Amino acid sequence: MKLSDRIRQGDTRAAAKLITMVENDFQQAQKYLKELQEYCGQATVIGITGPPGSGKSTITDRLAKHIRKIGKKIAIIAIDPSSPFTGGAILGDRIRMQDLSTDKDVFIRSIGTRGQLGGLSRSTQAVVKIMDAMGKEIIFIETVGVGQSEIEVIKVSDIILLLLMPGMGDDIQIIKAGIMEIGDIFVVNKSDREGTDRLIVEIEMMLSLNDVRKRNPAIIKTIGTENIGIEELWQEVERLNVYLQDKGEMQLRRKNRIRKEIHDLFLENWQELFFQFIGEDNIENEVQKILKQDIDPYSAVQKLTEVFKKQIIKGG
Amino acid sequence: MKNSIIRVLVAKPGLDGHDRGAKVVARALRDAGMEVIYTGLRQTPEQIVETAIQEDVNVIGLSILSGAHMHLFPKLMKLLKEREAIDIIVMAGGIIPGEDIVELKKIGIKEIFTPGTDTNRIIEFIKENVKVVR
Ligand SMILES: Nc1nc2c(ncn2[C@@H]2O[C@H](COP(=O)(O)OP(=O)(O)O)[C@@H](O)[C@H]2O)c(=O)[nH]1
Ligand SMILES: [Mg+2]
């Protein structure tokens, strides 16, 4: 049977193998992704982000168990940073999801960021498609909420939950830039801890100051370890989902995502083409010239780009 | 742009209570450039096999101190076979007596490391045995 057919029938091993191919050799994986495309678009994708230790994996586990009771099929993408020096990573989110691993309607995949520029959101999007084509109805993406690349990744989601916890010191400071804006629902986890009320006031203040959105994001209190607030949280996700559909906002988000996907794919193809055409020797040549102060890097790249452009126009 | 990275599941089956050894190995493998899926304590053979398949790992590393290896390891190997996943290399570490090592190798456990093994040996073993397409 074809790999894509096996995936559509929910074959875990086939799906897992294709995900590996997406990570290791995207050019080759595209062949299979093409076959899956028409079976995608059914799943709802929920992003869960926030600082390390805020309880993302715990909340993902609890939400997953809650949804399993309704009978929906689930997949989880758990992203952790890779070491920029060795490329290695310890992917430990499954520690909080142990009892989910033998539920055959739950598929969990841990992913290292592998330091790919722009590549992570592209491969995450492909992983979402594979899980979608498998018939998973709700797909969670867990990723640490710091840094530009993580924000790019989480934008692959339909709805984004931003987790915060009391006692992060100068709470909001940590996440003020860029990340507050992407949260559709604010989750104050570890609300068994001191400082919860203060944190909520801070979030409310922040939102009233900065936010230009039509709908003010809900703030939901949870205690992940005790399974408190999970039902309320899921109700809010469903409510928001309906709201976004009604307002046409969901459609808009999906459209933006396709646009970004095309952009990412284009960039990768052209990048490869460009460097193949120019060749390492020519680049080394320019480096030497810059070292000797014969040319500046701006003019050097401009020159190489011109050569490339001429070649394209000629139709080579 | 190919970018193959060896993936290893480090798992602790059985009921023994700490995972210092497993964590040391996990860190060493990460520092050697591998992706280590770490699942924590008290994993059943079913959980380990299912996790290994979902994560599409090249290697399963089992760490055990409890003495239950002759019960748990054959069960795990049987499950791997049932799931047609015997291409995954299984290695183990922990307190395992010599006569058991012979038995366990017979059922397909590729290598067994006794306590205090230099982590470099484990890294070498993995690199020699995993055929990663480049
Ligand atoms: N006190 C308290 N601890 C929690 C709560 N939720 C999670 N934790 C603990 O916080 C730690 C980090 O949780 P984890 O889910 O791994 O966080 P992540 O790094 O954001 O994925 C773990 O030890 C959890 O048991 C909570 O609501 N209250
Ligand atoms: Mg986590």
Side-chain angles (χ1 to χ4, degrees), chain A residues 67-116:
Chain A
I67 300 163
R68 285 297 298 131
K69 280 190 261 167
I70 317 167
K72 287 204 158 125
K73 294 177 181 166
I74 291 175
I76 299 169
I77 306 171
I79 304 173
D80 273 323
S82 305
S83 155
F85 304 108
T86 66
I90 292 183
L91 311 173
D93 294 317
R94 291 186 84 112
I95 295 173
R96 317 261 174 248
M97 307 175 187
Q98 283 197 2
D99 353 314
L100 290 176
S101 57
T102 47
D103 182 337
K104 67 176 184 352
D105 288 322
V106 179
F107 178 33
I108 307 174
R109 180 63 174 234
S110 313
I111 284 181
T113 53
R114 296 196 181 184
Q116 326 158 318

Side-chain angles (χ1 to χ4, degrees), chain B residues 10-21:
Chain B
V10 172
K12 263 204 76 70
L15 297 176
D16 48 305
H18 79 77
D19 57 355
R20 272 188 297 264

Side-chain angles (χ1 to χ4, degrees), chain B residues 1-130:
Chain B
M1 272 182 255
K2 296 185 188 176
N3 181 25
S4 296
I5 291 182
I6 297 176
R7 288 169 65 86
V8 184
L9 169 62
V10 172
K12 263 204 76 70
L15 297 176
D16 48 305
H18 79 77
D19 57 355
R20 272 188 297 264
K23 278 184 174 155
V24 169
V25 172
R27 262 180 241 126
L29 299 184
R30 176 200 58 195
D31 293 341
M34 302 177 196
E35 285 180 350
V36 181
I37 291 93
Y38 188 67
T39 49
L41 297 168
R42 298 195 185 86
Q43 296 278 289
T44 65
E46 286 83 359
Q47 285 173 326
I48 294 170
V49 168
E50 214 37 60
T51 299
I53 287 173
Q54 292 177 10
E55 299 287 356
D56 191 29
V57 293
N58 307 99
V59 180
I60 300 175
L62 302 165
S63 158
I64 197 158
L65 300 166
S66 65
H69 50 271
M70 290 314 274
H71 166 64
L72 294 170
F73 290 7
K75 200 170 165 196
L76 187 135
M77 296 310 287
K78 186 168 155 271
L79 285 168
L80 267 185
K81 201 175 254 167
E82 278 172 21
R83 300 291 317 256
E84 293 171 33
I86 42 169
D87 53 312
I88 301 173
I89 295 160
V90 182
M91 59 180 197
I95 307 165
I96 299 173
E99 64 262 35
D100 291 353
I101 293 183
V102 176
E103 284 302 306
L104 291 174
K105 284 198 168 170
K106 270 190 211 155
I107 62 165
I109 304 222
K110 192 100 191 223
E111 191 55 276
I112 288 160
F113 300 100
T114 46
T117 303
D118 183 353
T119 49
N120 284 319
R121 263 201 60 213
I122 303 177
I123 292 163
E124 264 166 45
F125 167 80
I126 294 175
K127 288 190 170 164
E128 273 164 22
N129 284 277
V130 174

Side-chain angles (χ1 to χ4, degrees), chain A residues 125-291:
Chain A
Q125 207 157 1
V127 176
V128 164
K129 282 185 198 177
I130 295 166
M131 292 168 162
D132 191 349
M134 277 177 94
K136 303 301 182 199
E137 297 162 277
I138 310 285
I139 301 170
F140 291 100
I141 304 174
E142 175 192 337
T143 177
V144 173
V146 283
Q148 192 57 37
S149 64
E150 284 84 358
I151 292 178
E152 288 302 310
V153 168
I154 210 71
K155 281 187 185 160
V156 171
S157 332
D158 295 316
I159 291 175
I160 299 172
L161 313 186
L162 178 57
L163 252 73
L164 301 171
M165 60 174 174
M168 299 187 301
D170 201 356
D171 296 321
I172 307 276
Q173 283 303 320
I174 306 170
I175 32 110
K176 64 174 179 198
I179 206 164
M180 292 298 272
E181 284 79 357
I182 63 167
D184 293 308
I185 298 173
F186 283 70
V187 183
V188 176
N189 189 40
K190 304 202 181 182
S191 62
D192 51 324
R193 288 204 185 160
E194 210 175 312
T196 300
D197 293 338
R198 207 191 70 215
L199 176 58
I200 292 174
V201 171
E202 278 180 57
I203 296 170
E204 282 169 346
M205 254 169 60
M206 186 101 175
L207 290 174
S208 68
L209 284 177
N210 293 349
D211 215 280
V212 289
R213 279 173 292 204
K214 294 154 221 135
R215 185 185 199 267
N216 237 354
I219 304 171
I220 310 279
K221 278 201 280 190
T222 58
I223 307 173
T225 37
E226 287 165 47
N227 210 19
I228 291 175
I230 302 302
E231 212 177 317
E232 292 78 357
L233 177 56
W234 187 246
Q235 274 170 8
E236 180 55 31
V237 171
E238 293 201 307
R239 205 177 303 140
L240 182 63
N241 195 8
V242 171
Y243 173 87
L244 293 173
Q245 306 260 10
D246 287 351
K247 293 277 170 210
E249 167 73 17
M250 199 58 94
Q251 195 58 25
L252 197 69
R253 288 185 182 191
R254 294 202 164 165
K255 200 180 143 205
N256 285 339
R257 231 156 38 224
I258 295 172
R259 185 172 288 278
K260 176 153 173 19
E261 187 178 22
I262 288 181
H263 190 265
D264 286 350
L265 291 171
F266 241 128
L267 219 59
E268 174 166 314
N269 282 352
W270 280 101
Q271 222 169 20
E272 229 174 86
L273 219 59
F274 180 76
F275 285 113
Q276 259 170 31
F277 175 75
I278 295 300
E280 192 45 50
D281 287 351
N282 275 322
I283 293 175
E284 177 63 27
N285 220 347
E286 296 303 321
V287 172
Q288 292 298 341
K289 280 192 223 158
I290 295 164
L291 274 174

